[in-house]
Each structure stands twice: as C-alpha cells, then as structure tokens.
Amino acid sequence: MKRSPFGFLIIAALTAVWLVTCVLQAQAAVQIVAATPELAEIARRVGGDKVSVYSIAKPNQDYHTIEPRPSDVSRIARADLVVRVGMDLDLWLDALINASGNRSVRRGAPGYVDASIGIARLEVPKEPITGASGDIHIYGNPHYFYDPMNAKIIARNVLEGLSRVSPHDKALFEANYRRFADEIDRRTEEWQKQLAAYKGRPVVTYHKSAVYFLRRFGLKDFGQLEPKPGIPPSPAHVSGLIRRMKESNVTAMAIESIYPRRFPDLIARELGIKYVVVPYSVGSLGTKTYFDLIDAWVSKIKEALR
Amino acid sequence: MKYVFALVAGLFALAGASQADGNSSPSEIDALKARVTELEQKLEKLEQQESAPQTESPPETGGRYLALPDISLIVQAKGRATTDKIDPDKQKIQLAEAELGIQGYVYPNVRADAFFAGSPAEHEPFHVHEAYLSYLGLAKGLNFVVGQKFVPFGRVNQLHNHSWLYARQPLVLSNLVAPESLAGQGINLTYLIPTRPGLFAQLDLGSWANGSEGEESNFPPNIMAGPGADLTDRFTTARFWMGMPTSENGEFELGGSWAGGRSEEDPNTGLTNYVHLRGLDLTYRYFGPQTSRLLLRAEHLWRKGTTDSDGAVARGYYLFANYRWNRYFDAGLLYDWSQFPQDTSRHESAMSLVLTRQFSEQYYVRLQVTRGSRPDDGSYTEVRLQWCWGVGPHTHNLE
C-alpha cells in the first residue's frame, strides 16, 4: 500500500496560493515590530504617520516569559525594523527572528535596533551569577524603560534605526524625536516636582522593576517581595520583609500590575497600610501612552508615600 | 573619595580662617559664604559622579564576550505510583533523562544546535538526540536544516519532553508516532508563505532516513501497543501550519501533517512495512491579565501500515486544556484515545489531571494523576511526579 503525498501537497499548495492572493499591496509605511508596548509607543512617536508599529508582548504579559505566537513570526517576516529591549530580557525574540527568515532585521543588520544601547545600566552583576542568584541578567537590570530620561535614549536608538531603513524621511523622524524628547524633558520636570517632597523615602516593590524609576526621582529601593529576581515570595522572606518594614517605618509599597496580590495583601494587613498597583505596561490599568504610564507611576507612588 | 576629603578639608580650613579673623568685614563674610556654597555644590556633584551607574553599552553582539556556545543541562526525575500491573517501573522514582544542549552560530546566519540525552532509568546511554545545522534566511522566508532532528510532524513532535505541559506523552502519539518524538536524519525546508499581516502560514518539507524506532509493549491478552510510526528506513514529511490572531490576546492555529515511508526489512518475516501517517491539529491560546493563559489543543492522527494486522487505518486523538493563572501555577486536563495499529478493533483511553508549579524559568515540579483503561485489562490509576531543572541558556526554535 503506497499512498502518494500529492493529495496533501496539492491541498497545501492551493491553500498557499489563496494565502498569497491575500497579500496586500506594497505598503508605504515602514513596518516596525517592537518587543514590548513601551518600545512600540516610543517608536510610534518617532516614526509618526510614516510607520506602522506592532508589539509582540501585550500589556500585562511578563516580559521575561513571553510565549511567542506564530503570527508574530509573520509580522517579523514583513518588518523593516525590529526594536528589542535587549540586556537579555527578551531572549524569546531571537527564535522569532530566526523563524522569520528575514535577514534585514537580524542582529547587526540595518533593521535591528537594540534599544538599550547607551543606557546607563544599573545593577550589573559584579560577582559570578548562578542559579541561586535568581533570574539575574548578566548585563544588568533591564527595566530601564520606566525612567523617562531613558525613553529619550530609546527614542534616539529608534531614530537611528529608522534613518537607516528609511533615509529619505530622516528629517521628519528627527523632528518627531526632538518633539518627543522636549516633551519628556518638560514632563520629567513636572514629575520631579510632584515627588520632590518625598526624596529619600523608601519604597517596596514586588519585582526589581522600579530601580531606574526610583533612582530618577530620588527615592530609595527598600526591597522586594521576591527574595531574588524571578523567585516567588516565600513566607520566611515575607515575614522578614514585614519585620524590616516595621523597624524602618516603611509604609510605601507599589506592586506591578502583573503580580499576584496574596502576599501584598498580607503585608498591607500586617502593617495597616494600603499598597498601590502600578501599570506594568503601556496599556495596563487604562494607560494609553508612555506619558500615561509614567504619569500613573508618579501619581500612584506619590499616593503610597503620603 | 579623595575629592570629598580634599573639599571637606577645604571647608574646615575656610571655616577656621573665618573664625580666626574676628575682624572680617561683612563683604568678606559674604564672599566666604558664597565660596562655601560653591564648594558645597561641587561636593554634591562629585558625590553624584561617584555613585553614578555604569554607562557603557552592552556589546552589540549581545552574546558573550568570548565566542563560547550556549551550554545547558536539563535533567528530569520522575516518580510513578500505579495500579497498572504490567508497568515494570511502578512505585519508583527514577532519573528519567538528562539532556545536554550545545548551541551557537558557526557562521553568519548559520546556527548549530546539538542535544545529547541519556536515560539512566531506561539504561539508555548518552546519545545524539538532535544535531543539526540551520541556514537562516536562505531566501526571504526560507530556512534550511540538515542533520538529525525531531521532524516537523504534528503540533508537538518538535518539542523536547521538558517543554511538554504534561508528564506523559498522549497515548495516540506513543502508539502511532513515537514513544517520545519522531526523529530522522536528513534535510528539511521551511518556507514562510508571504501573506497578509498577522496571518502566519508555513510549509515544511523534509526528506529523512533512519527514523526513530517505536516501542512495543505487550498488553494481555495478545495486544501490542505501539509501535509508533515504524519509519525506520527512508521517509518524507510535509506539514502546513497556519496561525491567525482572533483578537489582540487570542490566537488560533491550524496544522495538517503528512509522513510516508517504510521500515527496515523485518529479519524474521522479510517484510517491509510501508507506513502513512496523517495528522490534523488545532490550537487556541488566549492571554489574559496578570500573565494568565488559556490553551486548548486537539490533535487527531491516522496511521496505515502494510504489515499491520488487518490493514485498516488506526486512529486516535487527544484533547488538552491548560490554564495558567499566574506565572507560578498551571493546571491541565488531558483526554487521550487511541486504537492499536495491530488490532484496530481495540483501543485504550485515559484522562489525566496535570498540575505544575513553576518555581523559576528553569525549575518546575509537576503532578499528573491518570485514570486509564485498556481492553480486557480493566482500568488503572497512576500518579506521576516530575521534577525538571536546568542550568545554562537553553533555547528552541518556534514551538
């Protein structure tokens, strides 16, 4: 009994032909695929109406453990520019780029942007790291995008990438970048005024995502619910944290919106405090833009510090 | 720190000078105050500089500073308590598998992946699980692979067992395809068909030799489970895989697979088995708030071999639902049903509840409780416990 594969192949080929007919006409817009909603938002600001932007991670997904989807591959295959967080946060992006067979967005190609280039990195490990260190990133803490001044560096990297893939629109991208950077400067001044009264005050978070933000606004990172990055809270660690918070009279706790509330609720009950939930992504908790994201962080942390 | 000491000493000296000279004029005092303020500002700047973070950029190559490949080890220990009388491994905790991965680039756009595995529990020495070279982006959307690889057949055949969402392979896959995954030595072309944005369509075509051997187990009375695909000689594979978003957070996938080839000649009977496998798979994933995720999957397989006892098509399927409610916990329900190629009038089925506690990206513990039934042998209940841990960077292609 030998059965020919042609039946299957004919069906596959017909389906393929049908799919190819679905191809849209060549688009004028530069296709950008960003790893996260924050990078997508910033890329949209710099590219303006000359770009079409798609984010692989969706709001409220943990950026460390994204489950790539097949449709993401097709987006990257058509992309002119890929913008990644870098610093080993979005290692899942490499499998997608490989599967896409799109050489122009591979590492080192003109359409590849590592948004972390030029960032003043914090918490770069100075000692050898092992599995016991938790999910430590060898290039340092990768949550740099919560510092608004770093958004300017991200935007600058996107600008350089866009200028490479679409040089005839360079002047427009530069103007957009300048507008975004000025807006960041203006708003950062306002945000700093809002938090000025709380300089030096300690804040507790769930994961080490806030270190860049806290440093920018002169606040102190008191500790995390996770005993080590990526390691879930243990009762022993949480009771130790409660004790330390009591001893140091720490009352501000900000929980990133993707994390469970069981232990934050427990700490709040034990200490008689109210914690705040801060948006993990642009798109979380009703935020629509990067400015909304930082606005929300500033107002929520101010609320926690009151 | 030396700047700080120098400035503090300067401040003391200035303060001392102003105290010593009790007859200083108001203008001199003002000048000294201005000087103190200026020095204080300088001191603050220097302190800020000292505590400033590192400003160098990460290397653009993104990998390591040395041209070392990514080396990883993933180990699984499994324990099983069962009422299944024919299971030789019941009531044991065993080191089920250790997998060593070596991955890296050997040339621009050419990637090498090799995985070696051994199973002390099954007295299986370390052997090459997969070793292949991938030519990435040979042409727009075209990748080419040569070497030994888990072949693109069905939705989960290319997954390594540490990436499964259950502790035991669905029965239909072990009976009709392979005890773990169907592997072969040869070449494979993957073409990403250009479609409208967001619509994924991929075609895989492969030509292979030396496919994995199946595993047969005798169930009384006279039923032989397995033997997998039995494509131990040359065979070809084709798979068409589509994916489309149903919403911003949902994705639907559809796949069709075909494999055909022959087994090596049976030394006892002198017969060669010509086998055809077909498969259809559906997957739906929905990503909710706080890293929650719902996965629904169904896969139906058909197998026909020329030396199968009655020449009929053996078929089987599984239905799987998995819900991850946060990054630490997920639960799944698996129902599987499979006929035996040697006797398609009989089948076995099982229902499993699977709970997984994910401690970190590279460490989880899983509990699987199964209630199964086989013809004539009645039903059985088994509890499986699986520990899986890994060290080192370990990545796979799109899964």
Side-chain angles (χ1 to χ4, degrees):
Chain A
M1 184 216 73
K2 193 167 183 179
R3 199 156 172 174
S4 158
F6 290 118
F8 176 85
L9 290 177
I10 288 168
I11 293 168
L14 286 173
T15 316
V17 168
W18 171 74
L19 291 169
V20 171
T21 58
C22 292
V23 177
L24 293 180
Q25 290 181 337
Q27 293 177 12
V30 175
Q31 303 290 318
I32 302 179
V33 173
T36 67
E38 294 71 60
L39 300 187
E41 222 302 274
I42 294 168
R44 210 170 279 124
R45 294 268 169 183
V46 180
D49 55 9
K50 294 284 179 190
V51 301
S52 165
V53 188
Y54 173 80
S55 168
I56 291 174
K58 305 292 179 246
N60 271 340
Q61 287 187 326
D62 185 345
Y63 299 157
H64 302 78
T65 54
I66 295 296
E67 263 183 48
R69 300 187 279 180
S71 62
D72 297 333
V73 176
S74 73
R75 302 269 186 188
I76 292 178
R78 302 167 61 87
D80 302 299
L81 197 73
V82 164
V83 185
R84 78 182 311 167
V85 179
M87 294 172 74
D88 279 0
L89 180 69
D90 48 6
L91 285 172
W92 38 264
L93 191 64
D94 292 307
L96 294 173
I97 294 173
N98 288 348
S100 75
N102 183 354
R103 281 191 178 207
S104 58
V105 296
R106 289 181 54 75
R107 208 181 278 275
Y112 178 87
V113 172
D114 181 338
S116 71
I117 301 296
I119 296 288
R121 291 175 288 145
L122 298 177
E123 298 181 342
V124 180
K126 291 187 170 62
E127 293 167 357
I129 53 172
T130 69
S133 318
D135 294 335
I136 293 277
H137 298 269
I138 59 169
Y139 299 122
N141 187 316
H143 299 279
Y144 58 84
F145 37 83
Y146 294 120
D147 176 350
M149 297 313 277
N150 283 344
K152 290 202 305 184
I153 298 172
I154 298 169
R156 163 63 65 181
N157 287 327
V158 171
L159 169 66
E160 286 174 11
L162 279 172
S163 304
R164 286 194 298 271
V165 298
S166 185
H168 49 281
D169 290 319
K170 190 177 175 184
L172 177 78
F173 298 142
E174 277 178 344
N176 289 343
Y177 163 76
R178 182 42 47 210
R179 206 164 24 249
F180 176 73
D182 290 346
E183 182 73 2
I184 283 283
D185 285 338
R186 188 184 66 74
R187 290 197 185 224
T188 303
E189 210 170 298
E190 281 174 24
W191 290 321
Q192 273 173 329
K193 275 182 199 159
Q194 287 186 53
L195 290 172
Y198 306 99
K199 264 201 171 158
R201 290 276 300 276
V203 179
V204 170
T205 57
Y206 197 102
H207 180 69
K208 263 191 170 290
S209 358
V211 288
Y212 289 89
F213 176 90
L214 296 177
R215 189 174 187 283
R216 172 61 54 200
F217 295 102
L219 301 169
K220 194 177 149 197
D221 174 26
F222 184 79
Q224 277 66 46
L225 271 76
E226 291 179 338
K228 285 176 179 171
I231 305 298
S234 63
H237 173 74
V238 169
S239 63
L241 182 65
I242 291 172
R243 195 185 59 247
R244 288 197 302 119
M245 286 174 77
K246 266 184 192 163
E247 284 167 4
S248 307
N249 197 25
V250 175
T251 54
M253 183 162 65
I255 302 301
E256 304 88 326
S257 56
I258 61 164
Y259 290 104
R261 310 285 155 78
R262 185 177 146 222
F263 282 116
D265 287 342
L266 174 75
I267 294 174
R269 267 200 314 275
E270 286 292 314
L271 295 178
I273 59 170
K274 278 186 182 169
Y275 66 87
V276 294
V277 178
V278 288
Y280 186 72
S281 320
V282 169
S284 306
L285 305 180
T287 56
K288 288 192 172 69
T289 66
Y290 182 78
F291 301 123
D292 290 349
L293 179 81
I294 305 299
D295 261 337
W297 273 67
V298 168
S299 61
K300 292 278 180 187
I301 285 185
K302 189 175 164 188
E303 187 186 322
L305 288 163
R306 270 192 200 124
Chain B
M1 282 306 290
K2 63 185 177 189
Y3 302 113
V4 180
F5 284 125
L7 281 164
V8 170
L11 286 171
F12 275 115
L14 281 169
S18 63
Q19 276 176 357
D21 186 3
N23 301 322
S24 299
S25 67
S27 63
E28 280 174 332
I29 291 170
D30 287 345
L32 284 169
K33 276 183 181 169
R35 179 73 180 140
V36 167
T37 309
E38 188 190 333
L39 287 169
E40 276 175 349
Q41 282 169 350
K42 268 190 180 175
L43 178 64
E44 196 179 342
K45 266 189 184 172
L46 286 167
E47 279 176 344
Q48 277 176 0
Q49 276 173 18
E50 275 213 337
S51 61
Q54 298 188 39
T55 53
E56 71 269 32
S57 303
E60 285 224 42
T61 48
R64 317 291 173 244
Y65 290 96
L66 298 171
L68 289 174
D70 287 344
I71 300 171
S72 60
L73 180 71
I74 295 189
V75 184
Q76 293 180 67
K78 287 181 182 174
R80 189 158 58 202
T82 176
T83 60
D84 188 353
K85 292 184 184 68
I86 64 163
D87 189 338
D89 293 328
K90 60 185 175 183
Q91 277 73 270
K92 288 179 185 170
I93 292 177
Q94 297 176 302
L95 187 63
E97 189 182 86
E99 178 185 307
L100 176 70
I102 300 173
Q103 303 172 275
Y105 282 84
V106 293
Y107 196 74
N109 301 312
V110 183
R111 180 181 164 85
D113 294 82
F115 302 98
F116 306 88
S119 171
E122 292 172 16
H123 308 291
E124 191 181 75
F126 255 77
H127 64 284
V128 177
H129 220 34
E130 291 189 289
Y132 56 90
L133 208 55
S134 305
Y135 292 85
L136 304 167
L138 214 55
K140 183 92 174 170
L142 184 69
N143 289 345
F144 172 75
V145 167
V146 60
Q148 176 168 312
K149 195 176 182 317
F150 292 170
V151 303
F153 178 87
R155 181 61 184 85
V156 294
N157 190 65
Q158 293 185 88
L159 296 183
H160 284 207
N161 55 14
H162 59 81
S163 299
W164 293 349
L165 293 166
Y166 27 75
R168 184 185 83 168
Q169 173 91 305
L171 296 169
V172 61
L173 297 174
S174 45
N175 281 338
L176 307 188
V177 184
E180 188 182 309
S181 289
L182 176 61
Q185 295 162 17
I187 55 166
N188 190 72
L189 279 168
T190 303
Y191 182 56
L192 191 69
I193 301 164
T195 58
R196 65 180 172 80
L199 179 61
F200 167 86
Q202 181 176 287
L203 186 64
D204 273 281
L205 294 172
S207 174
W208 311 94
N210 307 334
S212 336
E213 286 189 21
E215 205 169 73
E216 296 179 356
S217 40
N218 289 304
F219 297 152
N222 307 318
I223 299 171
M224 195 178 278
D230 200 22
L231 295 166
T232 49
D233 195 7
R234 283 187 294 119
F235 65 104
T236 49
T237 55
R239 174 164 167 76
F240 181 66
W241 182 20
M242 279 177 70
M244 64 194 90
T246 53
S247 65
E248 194 189 48
N249 294 314
E251 178 113 347
F252 175 74
E253 293 172 39
L254 169 67
S257 307
W258 177 90
R262 63 188 188 196
S263 67
E264 286 173 337
E265 193 179 279
D266 188 317
N268 299 321
T269 61
L271 292 173
T272 296
N273 194 7
Y274 291 90
V275 177
H276 288 274
L277 279 176
R278 280 172 289 145
L280 186 68
D281 56 273
L282 301 168
T283 299
Y284 175 72
R285 278 186 290 177
Y286 182 81
F287 298 91
Q290 289 190 26
T291 69
S292 62
R293 190 264 290 118
L294 172 71
L295 180 146
L296 302 172
R297 178 168 291 155
E299 193 159 3
H300 199 128
L301 296 162
W302 295 265
R303 177 193 185 280
K304 188 169 183 178
T306 49
T307 63
D308 292 350
S309 61
D310 55 4
V313 175
R315 64 184 190 90
Y317 62 90
Y318 70 87
L319 305 168
F320 181 58
N322 177 275
Y323 183 68
R324 181 182 67 205
W325 57 90
N326 60 39
R327 57 178 294 177
Y328 309 124
F329 289 99
D330 67 76
L333 200 60
L334 173 69
Y335 177 74
D336 36 353
W337 186 98
S338 170
Q339 290 178 331
F340 302 108
Q342 291 79 5
D343 183 356
T344 53
S345 66
R346 298 181 180 229
H347 70 269
E348 63 174 329
S349 63
M351 173 74 94
S352 304
L353 178 67
V354 192
L355 291 170
T356 306
R357 169 75 157 101
Q358 189 86 38
F359 288 90
S360 74
E361 284 175 43
Q362 292 183 308
Y363 166 41
Y364 67 78
V365 176
R366 175 170 293 146
L367 174 76
Q368 179 164 338
V369 182
T370 302
R371 178 79 177 157
S373 77
R374 295 196 185 107
D376 303 324
D377 194 39
S379 55
Y380 64 93
T381 304
E382 67 180 24
V383 178
R384 286 166 189 258
L385 201 52
Q386 177 188 14
W387 290 264
C388 181
W389 65 94
V391 286
H394 187 96
T395 51
H396 287 296
N397 296 329
L398 180 70
E399 293 177 334

